[in-house]
Amino acid sequence: MVKIKKTVEELDPYVPGRSNADLARVYGLDPADIIRMGSNENPLGPSSLAIQAINKNLHLINTYPESNIDDLKDQIASYAGVNPNEVIVGGDGADEILDVLAKTLIEPGDEYIVHPPSYMYYEFTFSVYGAVPVYARWDVEGNCLDVDSVLEAITPKTKVVFLCTPNNPTGGLIAKKDIKTILESTDALVVVDEAYWEFSGVNNLELLEEYDNLFILRTFSKVMGLAGMRIGYGIGQKEFIEYMHRVKPVFSLIKLSYIAASATLSDPEYIKESTRLSIDSREFLYDEMSKFPELKVFKSFANYILVDIRNTGMNSKKITVKLMENGIIVRDCSSFRGLDDYWIRVSVATMEEDIKFINVLKSILG
């Protein structure tokens, strides 16, 4: 067998959510009846304008994507309230932006800081390039960042500090004053992942004017309802964005994704309704799950809720299997660094689906 790169050999595989087809095959279910509450997807579906635009342009899939997407950058900049030259757009969601960041910054042996439990793809991306993870701490019980643990983890080798707010999978926010403290404590790039910022109403864009080592990561997969189109974007200093473009694939954003993103940004009413529906679902699920004495439910500012299930007498694998047998997918969080085998994450759904989930949960917990 060919010799595999050492960092790849040592890397644990990423554990994605279960697909409808997989679940239907294993449990003998109708895929159309399965409720997806495990992948933080948008229950409203995509914008009707995005669907119309895709249908109108299907005949173009034999041609290469646009290499100049200045018009989309203009739209994103207008939406975010920044300058277009501070924006970089990529395919494969925000994950490609992470890959470009690693290509731009990382030399083997460089360190990066993460605060488990958090989004695991930071590690999957950066470790492949020979970067060394240094672990700070998210205080799960308090659902807040242990800022001192981040400051203590900073060394001269630190190249990047990842801060996820709202944090995935806990749903907690990082206070702006804490982000400023970290920015002022290092010359490393501080990447603030705001994939779910619309559900919290809190962002950190104004800090870009004050700190040249801040980079903000965002996605079209959540409130924009385009997870299947894989569109992400980053916001940072103009000079740094220019360096990123040197190593970014030219045609990474496929033509239909580009068209769908542009159409969605042209539909502010959809974005407003998408945000409202997800927040309503989140608050309903929080209130209803909090009524179960066996569950410890954590307040969330995202479109998902973290739940401690250890008092149910079941672990996360057992309870997720029971839910899947009833056609409901939630996330088993045992694969998250920093969590044990007694945590699940429940994503928002339509109100009808939420009610079904609560009823199934009642039957499981007796």
Side-chain angles (χ1 to χ4, degrees):
M1 182 176 175
V2 296
K3 187 172 178 60
I4 303 299
K5 190 175 180 180
K6 184 179 179 182
T7 54
V8 175
E9 278 187 325
E10 296 174 350
L11 194 65
D12 292 328
Y14 181 71
V15 182
R18 298 287 292 271
S19 69
N20 283 31
D22 181 33
L23 196 64
R25 182 178 63 254
V26 172
Y27 296 104
L29 301 169
D30 183 343
D33 293 334
I34 292 172
I35 298 174
R36 297 179 58 82
M37 302 177 75
S39 298
N40 307 340
E41 294 161 336
N42 189 324
L44 185 61
S47 160
S48 61
L49 295 187
I51 294 173
Q52 292 169 21
I54 290 171
N55 286 334
K56 184 179 178 181
N57 290 280
L58 282 172
H59 66 285
L60 297 176
I61 62 174
N62 67 309
T63 62
Y64 280 103
E66 304 295 333
S67 58
N68 184 339
I69 56 172
D70 286 347
D71 53 345
L72 179 57
K73 288 182 184 177
D74 288 344
Q75 286 183 283
I76 291 172
S78 177
Y79 174 73
V82 297
N83 293 320
N85 58 18
E86 296 174 314
V87 174
I88 184 168
V89 186
D92 196 23
D95 294 342
E96 185 193 52
I97 304 299
L98 288 172
D99 188 72
V100 174
L101 282 171
K103 287 179 179 176
T104 305
L105 291 170
I106 295 301
E107 303 282 359
D110 286 342
E111 295 177 352
Y112 64 98
I113 297 171
V114 289
H115 54 76
S118 192
Y119 184 48
M120 295 179 292
Y121 217 84
Y122 309 139
E123 290 187 62
F124 286 98
T125 304
F126 271 60
S127 294
V128 168
Y129 288 94
V132 179
V134 178
Y135 299 109
R137 177 175 173 268
W138 185 273
D139 177 359
V140 177
E141 292 302 316
N143 205 5
C144 62
L145 178 68
D146 182 338
V147 180
D148 288 340
S149 74
V150 177
L151 300 179
E152 291 166 2
I154 295 172
T155 75
K157 292 184 177 181
T158 304
K159 235 9 178 344
V160 178
V161 179
F162 286 105
L163 303 176
C164 188
T165 179
N167 188 40
N168 179 11
T170 70
L173 288 173
I174 301 175
K176 202 176 299 287
K177 65 180 179 60
D178 292 337
I179 295 174
K180 292 177 70 172
T181 296
I182 293 166
L183 283 163
E184 292 167 2
S185 300
T186 181
D187 292 328
L189 187 72
V190 177
V191 177
V192 177
D193 187 345
E194 293 186 348
Y196 302 92
W197 82 267
E198 286 96 342
F199 307 115
S200 70
V202 177
N203 68 64
N204 297 279
L205 286 172
E206 73 272 17
L207 299 182
L208 284 166
E209 298 179 7
E210 189 175 352
Y211 299 98
D212 61 7
N213 60 330
L214 173 63
F215 185 87
I216 292 174
L217 189 66
R218 291 185 173 179
T219 182
F220 278 75
S221 296
K222 310 307 176 184
V223 80
M224 303 289 184
L226 294 174
M229 301 303 288
R230 312 306 298 131
I231 310 154
Y233 64 101
I235 304 170
Q237 301 299 324
K238 173 187 174 184
E239 294 79 10
F240 183 67
I241 295 294
E242 289 175 351
Y243 279 114
M244 290 182 71
H245 273 117
R246 295 185 184 185
V247 295
K248 176 188 171 294
V250 176
F251 294 125
S252 66
L253 187 65
I254 66 169
K255 188 179 291 287
L256 294 182
S257 294
Y258 159 71
I259 289 166
S262 180
T264 302
L265 288 170
S266 301
D267 194 354
E269 287 304 311
Y270 163 81
I271 298 172
K272 181 179 178 181
E273 179 65 8
S274 170
T275 306
R276 184 198 65 78
L277 189 152
S278 291
I279 292 174
D280 287 350
S281 172
R282 180 189 72 200
E283 296 309 303
F284 174 82
L285 289 168
Y286 177 81
D287 291 342
E288 291 300 311
M289 284 193 291
S290 295
K291 294 176 182 177
F292 292 88
E294 308 95 328
L295 303 179
K296 184 173 182 180
V297 186
F298 287 74
K299 189 70 177 176
S300 174
F301 294 90
N303 68 340
Y304 49 82
I305 297 172
L306 184 68
V307 185
D308 183 340
I309 57 131
R310 69 191 68 243
N311 290 331
T312 65
M314 291 179 278
N315 61 21
S316 53
K317 181 178 181 180
K318 186 171 182 179
I319 200 168
T320 53
V321 167
K322 284 183 175 293
L323 286 165
M324 286 189 289
E325 289 171 349
N326 286 273
I328 298 172
I329 305 174
V330 300
R331 183 61 187 261
D332 175 350
C333 290
S334 60
S335 63
F336 278 85
R337 189 186 301 277
L339 295 179
D340 59 21
D341 295 335
Y342 298 95
W343 300 87
I344 62 171
R345 189 190 64 199
V346 181
S347 303
V348 300
T350 66
M351 198 57 66
E352 180 183 1
E353 291 170 335
D354 289 344
I355 292 170
K356 181 177 178 182
F357 164 72
I358 295 298
N359 288 334
V360 170
L361 195 58
K362 285 178 182 176
S363 69
I364 292 172
L365 298 180

